[in-house]
Amino acid sequence: MRSDRVKEGLDRAPARSLMYGTGVPESSMKRAHIGICSSFTDLIPGHTGMRELERFIEKGVHTGGGHAFIFSVPGLCDGIAMGHKGMHYSLPSRDAIADMIECVVEAHALDGVVFLSNCDKITPGMLMAAARLDVPAISVTAGPMQSGVYRMQRRSFVRDTFEAMAKCRKGEIDEQEMSNLEQCSCPGQGACQGLYTANTMACLTEAMGMSLPGCGTGLAGSAKKKRIAFDSGVAICQLVEKGITARQIMNEKAFRNAVIMDMALGGSTNTCLHLPAIAYEAQVPFSLELFDELSKTTPHITNVRPGGEFFMEDLDYSGGIPGFQQRLIDMLEDNITVSGRTVKEIAKSAVIYDEDVIRPVSNPFHKQGGIAVLRGNVAEDGCVVKQAAVNDDMHVFTGKAICFDSEEESMEAIKSGKIEDGMVVVIRYEGPKGGPGMREMLAPTAEIMGRGLFHVALITDGRFSGGTRGPCIGHISPEAAEGGTIALIKDGDDIAINIPERSIQLNVGEEELEKRRSAWVKPKPKFTKGYLAKYATRVSSAAQGAIFKTEDFFS
């Protein structure tokens, strides 16, 4: 066992002594040492229930014959960090989490790890660490939040807070109604109720085979989730015994299956950052083109918020990810999973309880998958749009640019009524390097939707929350801070967006663009000290997953 390096032989007497000091019994020196990497925090509703899940995982580990050790990594809530300096730290925290896990698992020579996570950057950060370390690993995502209820209507976080703010500013609802919505939209523990980034990543983690069946949609606080946590503790001991490591599961087939599931679900565009980052650590070839390739052949077979009206609880009650695997069985590649069963074995045993929530592939909500990758002179290296959340009349659109060099500038203009139908809002210098940290633009997009501006597009080198809906195009690469074309756009320029043809074009002549390019001046860094300053100097483009490429450190 890996842990023998800290517990076997005379030279390890000091290490054993320190472990005895924690209360480890002598008998456990013969057991597998299993880490439970928890992101519990009181700061995030998605994580407040994890103390109970830690206990159930721990019980499972000891039942399975191992000895459990809980350690922690931090968690950030994008909804709380949104719209101010804090959001710069969200995406960078993903890589910091992976690094911290590497430090603990290697320093303590753990034999396997159960990763307990839930929210946006934490789940992918943990999977990156699992792939990098290539130890036996299993993921337990803490689960979606139940829908809120107010005035006998189901409520969700994004629709009933972010978008409601715009209605309040317009006078459509009063401040008391706004306060009531705030208090009812998030009724308790769990990840926000739609296919936003947290729940999308939980579903894709299960689709990759890194979680037990039912984990991706099992609701936070439920007895079902506790049973999954317990069973995951038992399963990690079996993975250690069999020598099945993370990369054996997270292979090329697993990533293709994850993208197919993403397209069928209509998940968050942030998967275009996280799946490439995990694949890089797993040493699996992966490019942005895979999303577009599989989107063209994978139907969108559910319609969960933000684009539709279903909630995550509907997915769970209707059959969960195994139900989707059954629908997609002919498209998926068979592969091993942490459960000991293969993908297709799980699919064949699934039961679907609602034919509309999990539709047959012959009767999809949309013939193509949720995400499209666009290219053109605005984004030579690509950009992404959640096409399943775009109204049909906005799939082809040409509008006049109105440009902002930060999210804050754009918000001031939107709130003051300067944005009108027919415009393309351009928000730049918010990319991985220029932001730094590639902030999410949920506040501007929600404000636009809340104001009823359904014929306004928004493009950015930043990114979007999974809660964004409408013609919002992010991850534009090259980004403005690297001199990408988005930096050269001027107010009044025509920008043509054609999602079916996968194009985004600035209708300005090449000669004029060259003049603008020669006059462009690289901006000074926004942060010159601390983690963000270090992050900005080394992070790759959004098209590569905004990762730290190890080979770049030695070039």
Side-chain angles (χ1 to χ4, degrees):
M1 291 188 286
R2 278 170 50 91
S3 59
D4 288 347
R5 71 179 76 155
V6 296
K7 66 188 187 186
E8 288 290 317
L10 180 62
D11 289 344
R12 298 281 77 83
R16 289 193 297 273
S17 180
L18 289 165
M19 284 187 275
Y20 289 140
T22 70
V24 173
E26 186 176 5
S27 60
S28 285
M29 292 301 174
K30 300 297 182 183
R31 295 174 175 235
H33 284 191
I34 305 297
I36 301 174
C37 178
S38 171
S39 53
F40 164 79
T41 172
D42 288 329
L43 288 167
I44 313 175
H47 295 236
T48 54
M50 286 184 177
R51 282 290 181 244
E52 218 174 3
L53 293 179
E54 290 169 4
R55 288 182 57 229
F56 278 88
I57 296 169
E58 186 177 33
K59 289 177 183 179
V61 169
H62 288 284
T63 300
H67 189 98
F69 299 86
I70 299 172
F71 67 98
S72 301
V73 293
L76 279 67
C77 178
D78 284 20
I80 296 172
M82 194 84 64
H84 59 91
K85 179 182 177 181
M87 196 62 199
H88 289 286
Y89 288 90
S90 176
L91 183 58
S93 74
R94 179 193 71 182
D95 299 80
I97 287 166
D99 290 348
M100 282 185 277
I101 293 167
E102 177 190 350
C103 292
V104 174
V105 173
E106 292 289 43
H108 290 265
L110 297 173
D111 294 303
V113 187
V114 180
F115 292 106
L116 177 57
S117 69
N118 215 18
C119 288
D120 299 30
K121 311 308 163 300
I122 306 159
T123 299
M126 289 182 173
L127 291 175
M128 289 167 66
R132 183 188 303 173
L133 293 163
D134 196 26
V135 297
I138 189 167
S139 176
V140 178
T141 46
M145 185 187 293
Q146 285 271 7
S147 59
V149 177
Y150 176 59
R151 295 186 185 275
M152 296 305 293
Q153 293 181 34
R154 290 199 295 176
R155 305 289 180 168
S156 65
F157 170 60
V158 173
R159 291 266 187 99
D160 297 295
T161 57
F162 274 95
E163 293 185 16
M165 290 190 300
K167 294 179 181 179
C168 186
R169 270 190 275 270
K170 288 177 66 180
E172 293 180 15
I173 60 175
D174 61 24
E175 290 186 6
Q176 183 59 54
E177 184 77 353
M178 187 71 229
S179 178
N180 293 343
L181 286 169
E182 288 174 30
Q183 294 179 57
C184 294
S185 297
C186 294
Q189 65 175 277
C192 305
Q193 304 102 324
L195 266 174
Y196 315 133
T197 307
N199 289 323
T200 301
M201 284 306 306
C203 291
L204 301 195
T205 301
E206 182 180 336
M208 292 175 73
M210 288 299 292
S211 290
L212 293 182
C215 188
T217 58
L219 296 178
S222 66
K224 173 183 177 179
K225 183 62 73 174
K226 293 171 188 174
R227 290 191 291 270
I228 288 171
F230 179 89
D231 290 342
S232 296
V234 175
I236 189 65
C237 297
Q238 295 169 349
L239 292 171
V240 170
E241 185 178 341
K242 295 175 182 176
I244 298 173
T245 64
R247 285 190 207 164
Q248 291 175 42
I249 296 170
M250 288 195 285
N251 52 31
E252 195 165 353
K253 292 185 287 187
F255 284 99
R256 287 185 67 87
N257 289 344
V259 175
I260 289 168
M261 186 63 67
D262 194 8
M263 298 304 104
L265 290 169
S268 167
T269 52
N270 282 316
T271 59
C272 296
L273 296 170
H274 299 323
L275 289 180
I278 300 163
Y280 173 77
E281 298 290 356
Q283 299 180 10
V284 171
F286 194 108
S287 75
L288 196 60
E289 306 310 317
L290 187 60
F291 288 94
D292 209 44
E293 171 198 327
L294 295 176
S295 181
K296 291 174 181 176
T297 58
T298 305
H300 176 223
I301 59 174
T302 191
N303 212 17
V304 182
R305 289 195 176 197
E309 293 303 324
F310 298 137
F311 290 69
M312 288 302 297
E313 61 203 56
D314 299 319
L315 293 194
D316 192 49
Y317 301 147
S318 299
I321 296 305
F324 284 91
Q325 288 171 321
Q326 186 180 98
R327 293 293 198 213
L328 303 166
I329 192 166
D330 293 334
M331 302 180 192
L332 299 174
E333 296 190 52
D334 211 10
N335 196 31
I336 62 169
T337 73
V338 293
S339 71
R341 293 189 289 162
T342 69
V343 169
K344 295 201 174 184
E345 286 172 344
I346 294 168
K348 289 174 183 176
S349 67
V351 179
I352 296 168
Y353 296 99
D354 192 304
E355 295 284 318
D356 196 37
V357 176
I358 307 177
R359 285 191 176 184
V361 294
S362 59
N363 181 35
F365 284 92
H366 301 96
K367 291 181 180 179
Q368 292 191 0
I371 291 173
V373 177
L374 313 185
R375 291 185 185 273
N377 63 354
V378 174
E380 293 173 353
D381 292 339
C383 57
V384 298
V385 61
K386 191 172 185 176
Q387 64 174 344
V390 179
N391 291 338
D392 290 345
D393 62 349
M394 288 296 289
H395 277 244
V396 178
F397 176 74
T398 299
K400 298 290 184 184
I402 180 166
C403 302
F404 305 97
D405 289 347
S406 71
E407 178 190 5
E408 288 81 1
E409 288 180 18
S410 73
M411 279 298 292
E412 287 180 20
I414 299 166
K415 288 190 289 186
S416 64
K418 294 180 181 178
I419 306 304
E420 301 173 354
D421 277 335
M423 289 183 170
V424 178
V425 176
V426 179
I427 305 177
R428 57 197 175 194
Y429 297 105
E430 292 286 5
K433 292 180 182 292
M438 208 177 176
R439 291 194 290 177
E440 286 184 347
M441 303 294 141
L442 177 55
T445 59
E447 188 75 20
I448 288 169
M449 287 291 108
R451 287 176 173 270
L453 297 169
F454 300 122
H455 294 89
V456 169
L458 190 153
I459 71 172
T460 180
D461 53 6
R463 59 193 177 91
F464 296 115
S465 161
T468 294
R469 59 189 176 117
C472 302
I473 298 167
H475 305 203
I476 287 178
S477 301
E479 62 175 287
E482 292 188 309
T485 302
I486 189 172
L488 312 179
I489 301 172
K490 291 185 177 181
D491 289 351
D493 286 347
D494 278 344
I495 297 176
I497 298 164
N498 191 318
I499 296 174
E501 293 186 2
R502 304 298 199 258
S503 70
I504 179 167
Q505 197 72 16
L506 174 62
N507 292 333
V508 172
E510 190 56 40
E511 187 176 340
E512 171 62 21
L513 280 180
E514 281 304 315
K515 286 181 183 177
R516 296 182 188 182
R517 192 169 282 112
S518 61
W520 177 75
V521 178
K522 187 177 180 68
K524 293 181 179 179
K526 295 176 186 175
F527 295 87
T528 56
K529 61 181 180 180
Y531 181 51
L532 292 177
K534 291 186 283 188
Y535 181 87
T537 61
R538 284 294 187 177
V539 67
S540 73
S541 76
Q544 296 175 320
I547 58 174
F548 294 103
K549 300 184 79 171
T550 306
E551 53 269 30
D552 290 347
F553 288 89
F554 302 101
S555 61

